[in-house]
Amino acid sequence: MKKIVIFASGSGTNAENIIKYFAATKIGSVEAVFTNNPNAKVIERAKKYEIPTEVFSKTELFESKILQKINTIQPDLIVLAGFLLKFPENIIEAYPNKIINIHPALLPKYGGKGMYGMHIHRAIVGNKERETGITIHFVNENYDEGNILFQKNVVLSGDETPEEVAEKIHELEQKYFPEVIEKLLEN
């Protein structure tokens, strides 16, 4: 059974979806959820499934404490599911090609520092884009620049609100993120 660790900063809908997906498979399981936000709803979601959670500060993330905790689990894959901090190089170096992120746009467009969540959806609507989508990519030392593993687009009519774009993206994330994780764990 492969081990998955999830990092999340917010509501945790993608984290919960991944937890549920892998609870029903024999290929992997979510061993822990790490968050930098003591008020994140992802904590409640993880506890509902009896998944251990670790709340940490930004300082702790960039020191060796979090890497040590990850090392005790020895995950096969680290999944960033709505994690908003830049991921530290010491963890990236310790787990090369074993850390993935989901981004709510078709990279390289709408990537980089400050481009997350509704900021992206507002920019897409404001620029009258005719399509958007999701990108799942490996994590490297730069925001949203790791090798792309998967992209899925959705066509926009041009009449959508940022909230409607967010809903279309959420549907793609829920469908494809666990499937891509499963394929990675199988290889």
Side-chain angles (χ1 to χ4, degrees):
M1 181 83 81
K2 302 282 179 90
K3 296 177 184 175
I4 303 164
V5 167
I6 296 175
F7 277 74
S9 296
S11 72
T13 55
N14 278 323
E16 183 175 18
N17 188 43
I18 292 164
I19 291 166
K20 287 190 330 193
Y21 186 92
F22 286 97
T25 73
K26 294 191 180 354
I27 189 166
S29 67
V30 175
E31 299 295 314
V33 172
F34 287 73
T35 183
N36 61 305
N37 179 355
N39 302 312
K41 193 160 185 206
V42 71
I43 297 167
E44 293 171 38
R45 292 180 193 274
K47 285 183 178 169
K48 184 166 76 173
Y49 297 94
E50 300 179 356
I51 305 294
T53 57
E54 180 73 33
V55 179
F56 57 87
S57 69
K58 188 174 182 179
T59 304
E60 290 171 323
L61 177 65
F62 286 92
E63 293 172 351
S64 61
K65 181 181 180 191
I66 300 305
L67 176 58
Q68 289 169 354
K69 290 189 182 253
I70 293 169
N71 286 341
T72 63
I73 298 169
Q74 288 292 303
D76 297 284
L77 196 62
I78 298 171
V79 176
L80 309 189
F83 186 67
L84 299 182
L85 296 178
K86 188 171 183 190
F87 218 61
E89 288 187 33
N90 65 334
I91 300 175
I92 294 168
E93 288 169 7
Y95 291 90
N97 295 319
K98 292 192 183 262
I99 307 169
I100 64 169
N101 182 43
I102 190 162
H103 188 75
L106 296 171
L107 291 174
K109 293 174 90 173
Y110 302 102
K113 186 174 171 74
M115 291 306 285
Y116 61 90
M118 290 305 291
H119 298 288
I120 294 171
H121 308 316
R122 283 187 204 99
I124 285 168
V125 169
N127 291 332
K128 304 200 181 316
E129 295 285 355
R130 296 313 240 159
E131 74 170 0
T132 187
I134 59 170
T135 302
I136 299 169
H137 63 92
F138 283 116
V139 173
N140 67 12
E141 64 280 357
N142 299 313
Y143 281 112
D144 303 324
E145 291 183 14
N147 288 338
I148 293 172
L149 293 161
F150 176 86
Q151 288 187 308
K152 184 68 178 174
N153 73 316
V154 62
V155 175
L156 300 175
S157 67
D159 296 338
E160 290 90 353
T161 65
E163 293 75 17
E164 289 168 331
V165 172
E167 183 55 40
K168 288 181 177 192
I169 292 300
H170 188 68
E171 288 173 18
L172 294 177
E173 291 171 337
Q174 294 285 293
K175 177 170 177 28
Y176 293 104
F177 203 12
E179 293 175 4
V180 171
I181 293 167
E182 183 173 33
K183 284 186 180 123
L184 277 172
L185 293 175
E186 288 172 342
N187 291 338

